[in-house]
Every structure is written in C-alpha cells, then in structure tokens.
Amino acid sequence: RDVDRLIDLLQTEDEDLVKTVQTAIVRVGNPAVPGLLARLAASKRPVRGHLVKILGRIGQTTQTPGIAEALLSLLYDADLKTRRNAIIALGHMPLPGIESALLKKWACEDRIDHRRSIAASLGRVGGQASLEALRAYETDDAELKRIIGQAILIISRGLARGGESSIAGGITPPAPVSVVALCRA
C-alpha cells in the first residue's frame, strides 16, 4: 500500500535514499509490479530509470508477467539511463526473445557505453548467434574489447556444457580403466 509513496521518494538527488527506497520496493516483490508498471508509463527522468532498475531486480527472481515486456519496450527509450538500465536488467533474465532483442539493439547501437552493457548482457543470456555477433565486432575501445572477450568466454563455456556427454555411464568396462581428471584449483 505504500509503494506509490515510496516511488515518489525516488525524485531525489540523494543516492543513499534512492538505494534504500529501491531495496524496500524490491522486498515487496510481485505485489509491487502492477503499481511500478503503471507509474513507469507516465514517469520521467530520473524516476523512470530507477523504476526500470527495480523492475529488473524483481524480474531476476520471478517471472512476473509484464516485466520482460516492459523492459524490452524500453530498449529504445529516449532517456539514456532508462535504456541502459533496461539493457542491464534484461541480461539477468534468460527468457525467450531477450537474446534476439539484444542482438537487434547491438546491430544499431551507436553509444559505446550502451554497447558495453549489451555485450555484458549477451554474455549472460546469449547463445550461438550472440557468439557470432560478438566475434565479428571490431572496436578500438579497450574496455569494450575486454567485455566482449569475457562475454565470448562465458557463452563458449555455456555452449560447451550444453552438449551430450560422450561417457557411457551405464556400461561396465571389461577391464580396469585409468581416468585422469583435470580441474581448476
């Protein structure tokens, strides 16, 4: 019942208060989503960006209807902070359609800071198409190169783990077999 009043508190420059309010609304969880979505439509900067961040945090833990759709619609928002927060939030929501939406945004994004966020998000939710798009991209920006490299590594490892095992676990070998297991420290 207090979510609307909490949202009103987001119109401050006090970052500590903003973080406290965001945490309080996230704790409310799913019951806060309809009010957040309703206020999002009419909100302006900076509240709009804060609402997107809150929706993203709630959407990470639940599959509440409306959150992913709202965030996807904000990938092209006029407010840069709102757009970037939507990109980051979607990277934590591995749902159908998110990878393709982020790839579409990747293809037309001009801002380097947004490209960094998209690359990081694709690293979390991407598959083969993301891997190919990231490998094909060339840049002079050292930070973007680093993020792309990390995303490529994460996607590659995820794709390698997704395959079928070549070990026939249900068959007993006719004789003892030596096995060498390698792992990280």
Side-chain angles (χ1 to χ4, degrees), residues 72-92:
L72 285 168
S73 72
L74 296 171
L75 285 177
Y76 300 91
D77 196 80
D79 178 41
L80 298 177
K81 187 65 173 174
T82 298
R83 191 174 0 168
R84 188 157 183 248
N85 285 350
I87 291 166
I88 293 168
L90 288 167
H92 295 283

Side-chain angles (χ1 to χ4, degrees), residues 15-85:
E15 287 300 315
D16 291 333
L17 177 59
V18 167
K19 287 179 184 178
T20 302
V21 170
Q22 287 176 345
T23 301
I25 296 173
V26 168
R27 284 186 184 150
V28 173
N30 284 342
V33 172
L36 292 167
L37 292 173
R39 291 287 297 267
L40 179 66
S43 66
K44 296 194 179 353
R45 190 178 204 294
V47 175
R48 192 171 179 82
H50 298 315
L51 293 177
V52 169
K53 196 171 198 176
I54 294 167
L55 285 166
R57 286 178 56 195
I58 293 172
Q60 287 177 33
T61 57
T62 64
Q63 290 191 5
T64 306
I67 292 179
E69 294 80 6
L71 295 176
L72 285 168
S73 72
L74 296 171
L75 285 177
Y76 300 91
D77 196 80
D79 178 41
L80 298 177
K81 187 65 173 174
T82 298
R83 191 174 0 168
R84 188 157 183 248
N85 285 350

